[in-house]
Amino acid sequence: MRFDVLTIFPEMFPPVLGESVIGRAIKSGVIELNLIDIRRFSKDRHQKTDDYPYGGGSGMVMTPQPLYDAWRSVAMSSDQEAEKNGAAGSDTAANGEKALGGAEAVDGGGAANSAHSGSGSGARARTIYLSPQGRPLTQKKALELACEPRLILLCGHYEGVDERILELIVDEEIAIGDYVLTGGELPAMVLIDCVSRLVPGVLSSEEAYTGESHFDGLLEYPQYTRPPCFMGKAVPEVLLAGHHAHIEAWRRGQSLARTLDKRPDLLAAELRRLPLERADNVRDLGGHSAAGGLVTRWRTFLRADQLGRLSDADKRALLALGLTTVLDLRSPTEALRAPEPFTEADGVACYPLPFASEAAIDEFMTSGAEFRELYVLLAEKGRRKIAKAFRLMARCGGLCLFHCHAGKDRTGILAALLLLLVGVGREDVIADYEVSGTYYRRAARGELRPDDTEELVEQYTSSHASTIRYFIRYIDAKYGGAAGYLRAAGLADEDARAIREKFLAPPRINMTINDPDALRRQKPYVV
């Protein structure tokens, strides 16, 4: 993986990133760090990169010309642009780039061509501006970024950068916290360290990070090493006994207890997940704050992945919760491979509701369109089936579960429409979708083939916020929101009202998961 860093202080990076794990990854070539000195691209004779802001005010603003030229030296992907940058010599990349872990100075042609070949795909690299106004850097975001072949990081300074630069070149703004630093260099180093350790080959194995804090939404369990007793404090006996199942159970319990004590806000997704033996992605949609001070009820709607792996104990647990309706969103072929386990269960009605034909999905997957467009296709092709699903939800007398194969795409569309219909905030809807990949990734490893590409694995197992955000914006723009879409799909207003009435309750009746104190007092499921 390659990082191109645009900065006016390139000398800050080698002392920090040239050591330890990241330093070794750079030396071995697994990580490539390319430092671009923005000052070298300034056309000012004193190499100035800042000026006074229009309209007055304190401080200085970074000027657009050197920023744009520095970015352009590494961002363009065509061979013609690479040759142009190489020929430009001294006033572009020749004097502006330094590679950490490689040659101290890179000539213009070599640097430009190296940058262009880094992505290997012909598309320009994703450009990130480190800014306190950006979305927070989280472990999920780091996992998403680690799948990119290249990232361009823009480090601002002074009072920030000219707004036109953000409009012209920046794909995303990221913050490492709700505070202000003197420049973007420290946040860039934090991002590089956080993302690099998730790149295959940097750590010894995937297990080196999958058990750490935040990877699955929980804080890490306590760690101990020798001696077995220090200043009267002994290592827990369970860790010394060597029983691996007991150790795993202890660690899981400690992670939950530690998260509940230190960061109860992180437990929202984990408390919604049902602790089943053979399913990782069965989740309750209760506990969301909705419009009008109301909260979504627990044990009303469950979202899930395919249920074919459920144990007998899992089935009994779901039936004991009052399961009466199962909406199967899978294709007929998927349903044949893993038959619905509740078709013969007394008191449970199962409805097959495939959104779109397999031929339409296959045609899309080979079309080269962006994956997020698949959600639009499913929503448009499957309007009648989605409206039927909502009619069944409205008339369901008990617990309703809907699922597809992975529990993130078709299920994610239905869950998003349901939560939006009852007035749950967009960011909460996006967060509910985003965690799907975390849980599904645990079960998906056995389904992947040895010849599956990294891109296919990433697409198959991930649930990026940008995907569902794109879908929500589409629904808003075309239909005015989820209610308008469902009305256009054929859902009667009285059915929409029935869903709101059964799914919403005052907070005093139904615990909200957004209340940390309530989390400590009551848990919806035994975990």
Side-chain angles (χ1 to χ4, degrees):
M1 182 176 187
R2 173 172 174 142
F3 296 92
D4 295 298
V5 185
L6 311 181
T7 172
I8 59 175
F9 295 112
E11 63 278 4
M12 290 179 64
F13 289 79
V16 176
L17 298 176
E19 302 295 330
S20 188
V21 172
I22 307 303
R24 290 194 295 271
I26 291 171
K27 290 181 178 67
S28 68
V30 178
I31 298 297
E32 185 177 357
L33 182 60
N34 189 37
L35 304 173
I36 299 96
D37 188 346
I38 297 168
R39 294 185 192 277
R40 302 300 183 96
F41 293 83
S42 175
K43 294 180 179 178
D44 180 85
R45 62 178 179 172
H46 301 296
Q47 294 189 325
K48 280 186 60 178
T49 59
D50 63 314
D51 210 334
Y52 294 102
Y54 281 123
S58 61
M60 306 289 278
V61 176
M62 295 189 76
T63 54
Q65 176 271 313
L67 289 170
Y68 184 79
D69 286 354
W71 171 82
R72 193 169 179 269
S73 74
V74 293
M76 300 305 166
S77 58
S78 69
D79 292 338
Q80 179 181 3
E81 194 60 40
E83 293 171 3
K84 185 188 300 182
N85 284 339
S90 62
D91 64 350
T92 55
N95 297 321
E97 300 185 4
K98 182 178 289 186
L100 185 59
E104 279 300 301
V106 185
D107 66 44
N113 283 300
S114 173
H116 301 319
S117 63
S119 69
S121 64
R124 77 169 177 83
R126 189 169 175 177
T127 300
I128 295 171
Y129 174 46
L130 285 308
S131 161
Q133 298 184 24
R135 293 192 175 277
L137 176 62
T138 63
Q139 192 71 9
K140 292 186 183 68
K141 174 57 69 174
L143 281 164
E144 175 187 334
L145 296 178
C147 297
E148 297 281 343
R150 284 183 61 204
L151 292 174
I152 299 175
L153 307 181
L154 171 58
C155 303
H157 237 273
Y158 311 117
E159 291 300 309
V161 304
D162 189 294
E163 184 68 20
R164 291 165 292 187
I165 284 296
L166 303 184
E167 296 169 356
L168 287 168
I169 71 172
V170 171
D171 298 305
E172 184 175 8
E173 296 183 44
I174 289 180
I176 63 168
D178 293 332
Y179 48 83
V180 178
L181 299 172
T182 55
E185 284 75 19
L186 290 174
M189 286 186 253
V190 169
L191 185 147
I192 291 168
D193 188 299
C194 182
V195 172
S196 294
R197 60 199 310 280
L198 303 176
V199 173
V202 173
L203 299 180
S204 58
S205 68
E206 185 180 274
E207 285 74 21
Y209 62 79
T210 55
E212 293 180 324
S213 294
H214 302 290
F215 182 80
D216 63 354
L218 299 177
L219 300 184
E220 190 177 8
Y221 48 80
Q223 298 276 18
Y224 297 88
T225 186
R226 286 177 289 202
C229 186
F230 179 71
M231 298 184 70
K233 292 185 175 294
V235 174
E237 282 294 327
V238 67
L239 300 179
L240 304 176
H243 193 298
H244 294 297
H246 291 172
I247 290 172
E248 286 302 312
W250 179 87
R251 286 174 170 172
R252 180 71 177 172
Q254 290 294 312
S255 288
L256 284 164
R258 179 168 282 194
T259 309
L260 185 61
D261 181 54
K262 295 182 177 181
R263 290 290 304 278
D265 56 298
L266 297 178
L267 270 175
E270 188 62 19
L271 285 183
R272 289 192 181 101
R273 188 173 70 89
L274 275 65
L276 302 175
E277 293 177 351
R278 301 286 302 278
D280 287 313
N281 201 12
V282 181
R283 309 198 320 265
D284 200 309
L285 290 175
H288 285 286
S289 295
L294 300 176
V295 178
T296 56
R297 291 182 187 270
W298 294 99
R299 300 181 182 181
T300 305
F301 295 108
L302 301 181
R303 57 173 297 168
D305 53 354
Q306 64 107 339
L307 306 177
R309 293 186 293 265
L310 292 182
S311 66
D312 289 341
D314 292 337
K315 297 172 194 174
R316 288 194 298 269
L318 288 170
L319 291 171
L321 290 174
L323 182 66
T324 62
T325 304
V326 176
L327 310 180
D328 187 351
L329 313 179
R330 298 175 300 164
S331 69
T333 302
E334 289 172 318
L336 280 174
R337 285 200 298 261
E340 186 64 60
F342 291 104
T343 51
E344 303 299 325
D346 291 338
V348 179
C350 300
Y351 300 90
L353 296 169
F355 275 16
S357 69
E358 292 172 326
I361 295 175
D362 290 342
E363 182 181 353
F364 173 86
M365 298 303 285
T366 58
S367 68
E370 291 186 72
F371 184 71
R372 62 185 186 178
E373 294 285 352
L374 175 61
Y375 285 36
V376 173
L377 172 73
L378 291 171
E380 294 295 0
K381 293 279 188 182
R383 289 205 314 182
R384 289 176 58 251
K385 295 290 179 65
I386 290 173
K388 182 177 180 180
F390 274 81
R391 280 193 292 273
L392 292 168
M393 288 180 188
R395 299 163 192 182
C396 169
L399 177 64
C400 177
L401 180 151
F402 54 90
H403 74 97
C404 59
H405 177 77
K408 69 182 184 73
D409 299 322
R410 290 158 289 186
T411 300
I413 290 171
L414 211 64
L417 290 169
L418 175 61
L419 293 173
L420 290 169
L421 176 67
V422 300
V424 173
R426 279 164 173 71
E427 290 307 311
D428 287 343
V429 174
I430 291 167
D432 177 77
Y433 168 82
E434 196 174 13
V435 77
S436 303
T438 300
Y439 293 130
Y440 177 57
R441 201 172 286 116
R442 300 174 183 174
R445 294 302 176 191
E447 301 174 3
L448 302 176
R449 297 169 299 187
D451 59 341
D452 284 339
T453 64
E454 285 188 19
E455 182 180 4
L456 182 61
V457 171
E458 161 67 8
Q459 178 176 285
Y460 184 62
T461 62
S462 295
S463 52
H464 298 317
S466 58
T467 303
I468 199 69
R469 184 175 286 112
Y470 178 84
F471 169 73
I472 292 172
R473 287 174 177 168
Y474 172 84
I475 295 297
D476 286 344
K478 184 169 181 179
Y479 298 100
Y485 165 83
L486 291 168
R487 190 177 296 113
L491 184 70
D493 289 344
E494 55 265 30
D495 286 328
R497 281 195 300 272
I499 289 173
R500 293 188 184 99
E501 289 171 3
K502 73 185 298 182
F503 196 24
L504 295 175
R508 67 179 181 274
I509 296 175
N510 197 62
M511 183 194 80
T512 171
I513 212 135
N514 300 323
D515 179 356
D517 293 329
L519 282 177
R520 292 190 175 94
R521 294 192 301 269
Q522 178 183 355
K523 288 187 284 187
Y525 299 103
V526 177
V527 288

